[in-house]
Amino acid sequence: MNKHKLICTDWLDGIQVAGDDYYAVAFADPPDNIGVKYDGYDDNLPAKEYFSLLSKWVRKLVEVAGITWFSYNAKWAAEVGTIVNFLVHSTPGLEKRHMVQTYTFYQHNQHDLGNGHRPIWRLRWRDAPLYPNQIRVESERQKSGDKRADPRGKVPSDCFDFPRVTGNSRQRRSWSPTQLHEGLIERCVKLSTKEGDRVLDPFGGTGSILRVCRRINRVSTTFEISPAYSKLIANDNAMAAVDIISPSTFLRCRTCRAKMVKLHESYVSCVEGCNKVIPLQDQTSCYVLD
Ligand SMILES: C[S@@+](CC[C@H](N)C(=O)[O-])C[C@H]1O[C@@H](n2cnc3c(N)ncnc32)[C@H](O)[C@@H]1O
């Protein structure tokens, strides 16, 4: 199915029902566990629990995608580094590369250095292709009219100079508290895909990766745990609602994480856990766009 998909569920569960064989690229911008107020997600987990989630997320991404971009908060640099290091050393054929997004505009701190960067890991299977010619930018030599300049421009560095998306940015969708700059996403996706390739976004938020994919002719699969954000992303992109849940697929209960069983067309029940019965549409929904 060569369509953009948006699935409203925990992506670790949903990846089983998405029906995609393989993703050329995954771009992950997970919650930072710094107490941000999201709809339907607790961003204040005990550090141990968050570490365990980070580890599950990174491992699964590497399993399903040729190249994984993992953007995260500098507060967790040591933890994410430990996970990545262990994984790369125990997985032949997997390579790591560290990069940073630098902000010219950041929150001022009167007592210590302000945080002016966001780290990014790139995990790449050795045979996954890169397309550096797709991201060339004007070089300093070109700007100054130097005859030695390569007319194709230069391949940019591993420091991504894109601002934070602030309240007055034209890109801003105010329904979600955080949002990545589309220029950053576009550069990473273009470096690691060709037109028509499928891109995985496990943490939809405002749907910025879907918007970029539409613009540059890649096909996206987006997961978002919040039904409210999912509906807003779907409306923003005029996506049609569809039901892709078959009786054999299962979902996990949002309350106790036990397996949910589909009762009939429109209800699921948490038979192995807290026994809740809820309308299917409250648990998951799927939207597509040609
Ligand atoms: C940092 S935001 C992503 C922002 C997004 N990159 C953008 O530019 O709009 C993280 C999002 O992940 C969602 N989320 C958290 N845990 C999730 C999970 N396990 N599966 C799917 N979505 C999840 C949150 O609801 C939140 O909207």
Side-chain angles (χ1 to χ4, degrees):
M1 185 165 77
N2 211 17
K3 293 178 175 184
H4 296 280
K5 299 180 203 169
L6 163 63
I7 303 174
C8 173
T9 192
D10 182 327
W11 77 273
L12 284 176
D13 297 334
I15 200 108
Q16 301 166 55
V17 298
D20 303 321
D21 293 336
Y22 175 73
Y23 301 97
V25 155
F27 193 109
D29 175 30
D32 289 340
N33 209 39
I34 52 172
V36 170
K37 292 216 172 345
Y38 290 107
D39 170 76
Y41 174 81
D42 175 11
D43 195 42
N44 222 344
L45 300 173
K48 224 173 150 184
E49 209 176 306
Y50 184 62
F51 182 78
S52 155
L53 269 181
L54 285 170
S55 176
K56 279 188 202 155
W57 290 337
V58 172
R59 281 164 188 281
K60 191 66 186 176
L61 289 167
V62 162
E63 213 178 279
V64 298
I67 296 179
T68 295
W69 299 88
F70 199 84
S71 161
Y72 62 99
N73 191 291
K75 177 180 175 184
W76 304 104
E79 287 80 356
V80 180
T82 304
I83 293 165
V84 166
N85 226 17
F86 184 78
L87 188 59
V88 169
H89 286 299
S90 57
T91 315
L94 188 66
E95 296 175 342
K96 63 176 168 30
R97 177 141 186 203
H98 197 252
M99 332 202 166
V100 286
Q101 176 189 4
T102 53
Y103 310 132
T104 29
F105 174 69
Y106 54 87
Q107 268 174 345
H108 195 196
N109 183 340
Q110 302 289 351
H111 310 289
D112 199 347
L113 303 174
N115 171 231
H117 79 284
R118 186 169 173 87
I120 303 174
W121 276 108
R122 188 184 74 196
L123 287 158
R124 171 178 170 236
W125 290 101
R126 217 164 277 154
D127 56 356
L130 292 176
Y131 305 91
N133 285 335
Q134 296 185 147
I135 57 163
R136 285 182 181 270
V137 293
E138 193 180 27
S139 68
E140 296 313 309
R141 280 191 171 152
Q142 281 179 307
K143 282 182 200 162
S144 65
D146 187 329
K147 285 193 186 120
R148 292 169 299 172
D150 184 334
R152 298 174 305 165
K154 65 173 181 183
V155 178
S157 82
D158 52 7
C159 289
F160 298 94
D161 189 6
F162 292 100
R164 291 188 312 132
V165 180
T166 50
N168 57 0
S169 162
R170 268 202 230 144
Q171 294 185 11
R172 187 76 185 113
R173 304 293 195 273
S174 57
W175 71 72
S176 163
T178 62
Q179 188 176 336
L180 274 189
H181 196 280
E182 290 178 24
L184 168 77
I185 298 167
E186 180 168 335
R187 185 168 293 173
C188 297
V189 171
K190 271 189 172 166
L191 175 61
S192 40
T193 57
K194 55 186 186 333
E195 288 201 8
D197 280 347
R198 192 165 276 282
V199 177
L200 168 65
D201 175 7
F203 304 99
T206 67
S208 49
I209 294 169
L210 164 64
R211 285 195 296 283
V212 169
C213 284
R214 289 184 63 187
R215 200 164 57 231
I216 62 172
N217 297 324
R218 272 62 171 176
V219 192
S220 59
T221 298
T222 303
F223 291 95
E224 171 50 57
I225 207 164
S226 151
Y229 295 168
S230 300
K231 273 194 188 125
L232 287 158
I233 299 172
N235 289 345
D236 202 24
N237 292 279
M239 299 177 96
V242 291
D243 180 9
I244 56 150
I245 305 300
S246 72
S248 59
T249 55
F250 73 84
L251 299 163
R252 287 195 186 277
C253 175
R254 291 240 177 94
T255 312
C256 71
R257 307 290 304 148
K259 276 185 191 177
M260 306 283 284
V261 172
K262 193 168 177 179
L263 291 183
H264 60 84
E265 272 315 292
S266 18
Y267 288 91
V268 283
S269 168
C270 180
V271 286
E272 291 177 16
C274 63
N275 269 323
K276 261 192 185 162
V277 175
I278 58 163
L280 183 56
Q281 72 197 50
D282 290 351
Q283 180 70 16
T284 185
S285 42
C286 178
Y287 305 86
V288 292
L289 178 73
D290 284 313

